[in-house]
Amino acid sequence: MRLLLLEDDLEYKLSIKEYLESLGYEIDDFDDGEDALSAIYENKYHLLILDIRVPNINGYEVVKSIRENGDNTPVIYITSLTDINNLSLGYELGCNDYIKKPFSPKELKYRVEQLLKLFYTNENSDKIDLKSNFTYDILKKQLFKNSELIQLTKKEAEVVFCLITNKNQFVSIDKLRSEVWDDKYICEADIRVCIKKIRDKTSKDFIINQRGIGYKIDREK
């Protein structure tokens, strides 16, 4: 999963980034609110972790801007602010959780996992049931067939994640290109090869294709 971290204290930012990366998350980090806001509009993130008092555009303004534009990506504020008015403002603007500094890495891990479960799984379960006895662990990005793990490369796992989190909707080549490869120049043939490799490891019907529209993975109804 791809997370954005906004924190202007360099040492604090690096320690948080390294810890989250050790848990398997992909982290884009920023120390400037304006740069972070631009990245949010240019990329797809599954969770935003924002300090409030940062240069140029503060954490409140970042959340205000994205919520006004219909972006419901979950947000955790990390802050040393403790005044109830500050906390209330954050929730009113649309944040989902607060962590007060200083905090332990395990607390951050717990808060991140809980929000990801809430937003990206069915009924707060880590596992998603797919058709033909496939299941998917959305936090670990692992695919199973009859409880047996299917070995996927990192890119294959990202493709499967993208398709599953779009909940039975077709995903276009352009969307796969931007969300998985983050490269507008990636060749369409390379994307198709990746999808073929996933089908080879699963079944030809695991990923459904509709010409001119895109691809999807069906969940169980």
Side-chain angles (χ1 to χ4, degrees):
M1 287 184 160
R2 190 175 186 184
L3 281 55
L4 179 141
L5 171 63
L6 173 62
E7 169 61 66
D8 65 338
D9 183 310
L10 179 60
E11 185 175 347
Y12 214 71
K13 179 179 67 176
L14 290 177
S15 65
I16 294 173
K17 180 179 181 179
E18 289 175 0
Y19 177 69
L20 291 174
E21 286 179 337
S22 74
L23 299 176
Y25 298 108
E26 181 181 353
I27 309 298
D28 290 351
D29 62 288
F30 300 89
D31 55 19
D32 180 288
E34 188 171 355
D35 291 340
L37 185 60
S38 296
I40 293 168
Y41 284 129
E42 292 172 1
N43 303 288
K44 166 66 177 178
Y45 294 102
H46 301 102
L47 177 67
L48 310 177
I49 302 173
L50 311 176
D51 190 7
I52 294 174
R53 295 186 291 193
V54 293
N56 291 322
I57 298 178
N58 66 40
Y60 291 136
E61 293 169 321
V62 170
V63 173
K64 183 175 186 292
S65 177
I66 66 172
R67 294 298 189 245
E68 288 177 347
N69 282 277
D71 186 336
N72 293 316
T73 304
V75 174
I76 296 176
Y77 277 134
I78 51 173
T79 180
S80 57
L81 298 174
T82 57
D83 184 86
I84 187 61
N85 292 324
N86 291 317
L87 302 181
S88 297
L89 176 59
Y91 283 116
E92 288 169 5
L93 290 173
C95 88
N96 304 94
D97 201 359
Y98 266 97
I99 304 180
K100 296 178 183 179
K101 298 179 181 177
F103 53 84
S104 70
K106 286 187 177 180
E107 180 182 4
L108 178 62
K109 176 179 182 290
Y110 172 79
R111 299 294 186 91
V112 167
E113 288 179 350
Q114 289 305 303
L115 267 186
L116 293 176
K117 285 182 185 180
L118 180 64
F119 274 77
Y120 299 109
T121 64
N122 293 330
E123 299 179 354
N124 300 336
S125 171
D126 296 348
K127 306 296 190 300
I128 294 175
D129 292 326
L130 309 173
K131 290 188 174 182
S132 302
N133 296 319
F134 287 99
T135 57
Y136 187 71
D137 186 320
I138 199 164
L139 294 181
K140 296 180 180 179
K141 289 186 178 177
Q142 291 180 333
L143 179 67
F144 298 85
K145 170 74 170 182
N146 295 323
S147 299
E148 183 177 344
L149 178 64
I150 296 173
Q151 297 293 339
L152 300 174
T153 67
K154 181 179 180 181
K155 196 59 67 180
E156 290 165 359
E158 292 288 345
V159 169
V160 171
F161 174 82
C162 180
L163 297 180
I164 288 175
T165 54
N166 276 276
K167 298 182 179 178
N168 297 333
Q169 301 297 311
F170 283 99
V171 177
S172 69
I173 285 287
D174 285 341
K175 188 170 183 178
L176 284 170
R177 183 182 284 119
S178 64
E179 292 194 11
V180 177
W181 278 266
D182 193 22
D183 180 357
K184 64 181 179 180
Y185 298 111
I186 188 72
C187 178
E188 182 173 333
D190 291 338
I191 298 175
R192 295 185 186 279
V193 167
C194 184
I195 289 171
K196 181 182 183 302
K197 289 180 178 179
I198 297 170
R199 284 174 170 157
D200 290 342
K201 295 178 179 181
T202 54
S203 72
K204 64 179 182 179
D205 298 324
F206 179 71
I207 297 178
I208 301 168
N209 173 228
Q210 186 164 327
R211 187 179 297 275
I213 297 179
Y215 299 89
K216 72 172 180 175
I217 296 174
D218 282 335
R219 300 185 183 190
E220 284 286 6
K221 301 299 185 183

